[in-house]
Amino acid sequence: QAKATGAGSVFYTQSLADDLHRRQRVSDRFKLALESDMFHLVFQPQVRLEGGSFEGCEVLIRWRDEELGAVPPSEFIPIAEELGLITKLGEWVLSQTCRHMSDWAARGLSVPGRVAINISAQELMSSGYVANLEDTVASFGCDPSAFELEITEHGLMQDILAGKEILNELEDLGFRIAIDDFGTGYSSLSYVKHFSADQLKIDLSFVRDMMVDPASNAIVAATIAMAEKLGMQSVAEGVETKEQADALKAMNCPIAQGYYYSRPLDAQDFEDTWLIPANG
Ligand code: C2E
Ligand code: CA
Ligand code: CA
Ligand code: CA
């Protein structure tokens, strides 16, 4: 027990204990949730800024726990990584995504462009990852070219050669690669120097601030210009207002995603609102 030297450190010790307690609770419940399939997926459309056409979607995981209520992925993904369970969770996300896609396809519905799933670097670097991914996608009768894998730079930069090899294998199989949260890491620029990708997702923190903060505005504009020069498609994340959409369009950003267009929707709402019958 830390010795309290004043009111401040008593408070600190208490809140640290609360944090640890919460973390332990989330870990315990998470293990149960993974055993009993307590997650579900939501889908958020991506649209072309010029003309507004529907160009694809991102899949995001949701967990509503009986005791803890809704736990956000920003809280439980790091815990899954720490517990060594992120690979298992990733497999669940992939197979569940494939299940929805094959179900839609069977009913003549399809997502135009790509369905993007988030891959933790730890998952990507785990042994047998590429073979498992290929097998799962094939077992649902899906095609790799229907998928985009969103990867943050965290982790991949630690072993550039191994990372490159995996990304190359994935691209050879037909998967698309997106660099997620661009601009937030320590090494964003060296990342794009070393790794090629199809899409570059501008982190929502820059989009959020771009109308009020000149630095964020400059970063967004420069990122869009750089992506274009490098042959990557930029996607602006977290677009919430018409003003942001107009400014991004004026900067020649091709694609946007955010609450201004749609919240992430559960499978049924997404289907009803966005999916188009293949034969009219
Ligand atoms: P991300 O990949 O950067 O996902 C974008 C986040 O922004 C999502 O939060 C989404 O709900 C939110 N968002 C979308 N539009 C807007 C907007 O207009 N304004 C604001 N403020 N937010 C918006 P979410 O779903 O809570 O996910 C948080 C993070 O958790 C994700 O960030 C991703 O890193 C991770 N994550 C989510 N699902 C998965 C998954 O299936 N696997 C893995 N490995 N990570 C996931
Ligand atoms: Ca993402
Ligand atoms: Ca992101
Ligand atoms: Ca993020």
Side-chain angles (χ1 to χ4, degrees):
Q1 187 76 29
K3 216 204 281 174
T5 53
S9 57
V10 170
F11 178 75
Y12 178 75
T13 307
Q14 185 54 48
S15 72
L16 195 67
D18 288 349
D19 286 355
L20 285 171
H21 180 68
R22 164 82 185 177
R23 215 179 161 77
Q24 190 57 51
R25 289 248 297 155
V26 172
S27 297
D28 292 345
R29 298 295 302 174
F30 177 79
K31 287 180 219 158
L32 282 176
L34 196 55
E35 294 303 311
S36 45
D37 234 28
M38 295 303 284
F39 304 98
H40 69 279
L41 298 178
V42 290
F43 301 81
Q44 189 177 36
Q46 298 180 341
V47 302
R48 188 164 293 280
L49 276 155
E50 191 71 61
S53 57
F54 174 37
E55 298 283 333
C57 69
E58 178 176 3
V59 176
L60 296 155
I61 193 167
R62 291 291 177 267
W63 173 24
R64 178 168 285 285
D65 184 72
E66 273 170 23
E67 291 180 11
L68 301 167
V71 186
S74 56
E75 186 175 5
F76 69 81
I77 297 285
I79 290 175
E81 289 180 333
E82 222 168 84
L83 293 171
L85 292 171
I86 190 68
T87 302
K88 204 162 170 223
L89 187 70
E91 279 165 11
W92 184 88
V93 170
L94 176 68
S95 57
Q96 205 60 25
T97 302
C98 290
R99 195 182 304 280
H100 285 297
M101 287 165 76
S102 58
D103 169 53
W104 287 327
R107 290 183 291 119
L109 300 168
S110 67
V111 179
R114 317 270 158 164
V115 173
I117 54 182
N118 291 283
I119 310 292
S120 141
Q122 193 183 319
E123 190 187 345
L124 186 82
M125 304 298 273
S126 66
S127 77
Y129 174 72
V130 176
N132 280 338
L133 180 73
E134 194 185 4
D135 287 352
T136 305
V137 166
S139 73
F140 283 93
C142 296
D143 194 288
S145 67
F147 296 88
E148 188 150 69
L149 308 175
E150 298 196 358
I151 300 159
T152 57
E153 76 209 42
H154 317 289
L156 265 199
M157 286 302 289
Q158 281 161 21
D159 190 345
I160 292 174
L161 277 182
K164 264 188 182 173
E165 202 174 302
I166 291 172
L167 293 196
N168 285 339
E169 281 177 48
L170 291 170
E171 288 191 315
D172 288 347
L173 291 170
F175 292 97
R176 292 275 188 131
I177 307 295
I179 299 173
D180 208 352
D181 300 347
F182 185 77
T184 61
Y186 296 113
S187 45
S188 297
L189 292 178
S190 18
Y191 188 105
V192 292
K193 181 182 159 185
H194 289 292
F195 298 102
S196 74
D198 305 282
Q199 274 193 353
L200 201 155
K201 300 193 79 175
I202 304 168
D203 192 68
L204 49 77
S205 60
F206 301 113
V207 175
R208 182 192 58 215
D209 297 341
M210 67 181 281
M211 306 311 290
V212 289
D213 171 35
S216 294
N217 200 281
I219 291 166
V220 171
T223 303
I224 294 164
M226 181 194 70
E228 201 191 328
K229 284 215 168 92
L230 292 171
M232 293 188 274
Q233 185 177 56
S234 346
V235 178
E237 303 189 307
V239 178
E240 294 186 355
T241 67
K242 182 175 189 302
E243 289 66 35
Q244 290 165 343
D246 288 343
L248 288 159
K249 205 191 300 182
M251 292 173 179
N252 290 321
C253 181
I255 310 285
Q257 178 182 346
Y259 299 162
Y260 177 60
Y261 301 98
S262 171
R263 300 235 158 210
L265 302 171
D266 67 31
Q268 189 62 54
D269 284 346
F270 181 66
E271 176 184 325
D272 294 344
T273 316
W274 293 89
L275 297 189
I276 310 131
N279 307 308

